[in-house]
Amino acid sequence: MSDKITVMWGSGSPPCWRVLIALEEKNVRDYNSVQLSFEKMDHKSQQVLDINPRGQLPAFKIGNLAVNESYGACLFLEKKFQSQGNRLIPDCINEEGHMNQRMFEGQTLTQKMADVIYYNWKVPEGERHDSAVKRNRETLAAELKLWEGYLQKGPGPFLAGKHFTLADVTVYPAIAYLFRFGLCEERYPKLAAYYNSLKDRPSIKTTWPPTWLETPQGSDLLKDL
Amino acid sequence: MSDKITVMWGSGSPPCWRVLIALEEKNVRDYNSVQLSFEKMDHKSQQVLDINPRGQLPAFKIGNLAVNESYGACLFLEKKFQSQGNRLIPDCINEEGHMNQRMFEGQTLTQKMADVIYYNWKVPEGERHDSAVKRNRETLAAELKLWEGYLQKGPGPFLAGKHFTLADVTVYPAIAYLFRFGLCEERYPKLAAYYNSLKDRPSIKTTWPPTWLETPQGSDLLKDL
């Protein structure tokens, strides 16, 4: 029981979703799954702070070890359960290097997305500027064109090539989030095809954000991007 | 020759420095090292864009593979040269998990540091607010207290415990950067001790930012933090 896993997570949050997908891919199902609410500020509750002193979700614990950083948890799960479930790192070292490149570029994508979607939440009222909102949106649009180009050039069908890898585990939730916030499928056809093609993958379908299932209609914040 | 490595880098930049340290630790010395200048906007030059379309440093290429993301490059180098130089990932999977946690928390530290140091560079003049400057500084100070606490609690002497790991490769450059910008050694004694204890480690000494050697006096931006 010393390796008992606890994951505290919030619905829709890309960092949380990454970890849930990784667990599914590695066939790890015997864990203590605790869904919490950001709206209710559960992420600042003592049970979270005990695992993650930053008061953020996910809070991930295995035995006495906390690995709350989602990229760290995904890498850890792949190594810990190396011979279980699906391999998430390619055998070829060069493919792994390319996976690393896409996986960590995904952090920039996620950051630029957050700068747009959470602007009002992150920036106090007296410090907001239309010029910043405009620039953030342009920056995100340029970022999305990069990714559209990556998928265009291929080889695909996954983000780092022929295999579903940690690049997909870590970046798919951000891409799904973009479409949840109204990204136009016609304007980003390759991203949309990628997004739709993975919706039914068991690890993704099983972990689909429950609040998105309850309220199928998302926001249209990004529809003109 | 297909695995010839090229690294384009700028002096002092934590992402660049990480990769240079990793190369030294792995005993990889036969590479094409190209020092470029951010001031001269070399990072937007064609030779960089050919490897890194984001126009950022480092630009890292091995054979035909580009791994520009510094965390990705460090992980790649450790795997590619697994049996060469120093092992940068602990043998014990739980120690590796803890290393992952610190390594990825280092990205938050680096981000909060950049929010303070590069405020005027990142935020256009008409959008700057004293309240944001103050908040960013408080946020960085709180972050530094976390790290001071990690080193206090130990086990140390390294960031993830007894061994020098990728956590040190990736986070040390940010910590050195903080002191270069005037962080007070008396106020953060554990961070200062860690910083000073590694200055003479060969991989770090050899790759010490040349512009810092030329101009030993840094900034005092963080002296009151």
Side-chain angles (χ1 to χ4, degrees), chain A residues 147-160:
Chain A
W147 289 87
E148 186 72 13
Y150 294 157
L151 289 166
Q152 176 86 46
K153 272 177 243 144
F158 299 107
L159 285 183

Side-chain angles (χ1 to χ4, degrees), chain A residues 26-220:
Chain A
K26 301 310 290 180
N27 247 325
V28 179
R29 302 222 169 77
D30 177 26
Y31 66 91
N32 181 25
S33 169
V34 185
Q35 187 187 346
L36 297 174
S37 159
F38 290 108
E39 290 69 29
K40 294 183 188 156
M41 296 295 283
D42 289 342
H43 50 298
K44 301 299 177 191
S45 65
Q46 197 54 50
Q47 63 173 339
V48 172
L49 291 170
D50 286 344
I51 299 177
N52 188 347
R54 294 180 182 275
Q56 292 173 339
L57 298 176
F60 176 96
K61 198 166 185 182
I62 174 164
N64 289 318
L65 171 71
V67 191
N68 302 303
E69 297 294 319
S70 62
Y71 272 66
C74 290
L75 283 162
F76 170 81
L77 287 167
E78 168 58 16
K79 183 78 159 275
K80 171 93 179 169
F81 300 102
Q82 205 151 11
S83 53
Q84 188 176 316
N86 297 320
R87 275 283 285 157
L88 298 172
I89 294 181
D91 290 329
C92 162
I93 178 68
N94 275 14
E95 288 181 26
E96 179 174 345
H98 184 56
M99 176 196 86
N100 287 355
Q101 173 63 16
R102 289 292 177 261
M103 181 174 168
F104 289 101
E105 284 188 86
Q107 295 184 318
T108 299
L109 172 65
T110 305
Q111 183 59 52
K112 289 177 178 172
M113 173 179 86
D115 288 344
V116 170
I117 293 178
Y118 294 121
Y119 186 77
N120 285 352
W121 179 80
K122 292 207 288 188
V123 181
E125 201 171 349
E127 297 174 14
R128 293 178 201 153
H129 294 272
D130 291 344
S131 50
V133 170
K134 184 168 176 286
R135 189 175 56 250
N136 289 346
R137 290 178 69 93
E138 287 165 359
T139 301
L140 177 57
E143 179 72 25
L144 290 171
K145 284 199 186 74
L146 261 183
W147 289 87
E148 186 72 13
Y150 294 157
L151 289 166
Q152 176 86 46
K153 272 177 243 144
F158 299 107
L159 285 183
K162 293 191 301 285
H163 306 288
F164 182 92
T165 67
L166 287 177
D168 303 287
V169 171
T170 52
V171 184
Y172 185 86
I175 292 173
Y177 209 81
L178 288 158
F179 286 107
R180 174 75 182 171
F181 278 80
L183 195 69
C184 172
E185 299 211 0
E186 288 69 34
R187 205 168 294 146
Y188 300 94
K190 296 289 173 191
L191 277 166
Y194 170 76
Y195 163 63
N196 287 310
S197 74
L198 283 177
K199 274 181 177 169
D200 283 327
R201 188 176 173 95
S203 66
I204 288 174
K205 191 170 184 174
T206 310
T207 58
W208 200 262
T211 53
W212 297 6
L213 293 173
E214 287 157 22
T215 316
Q217 183 62 45
S219 151
D220 63 359

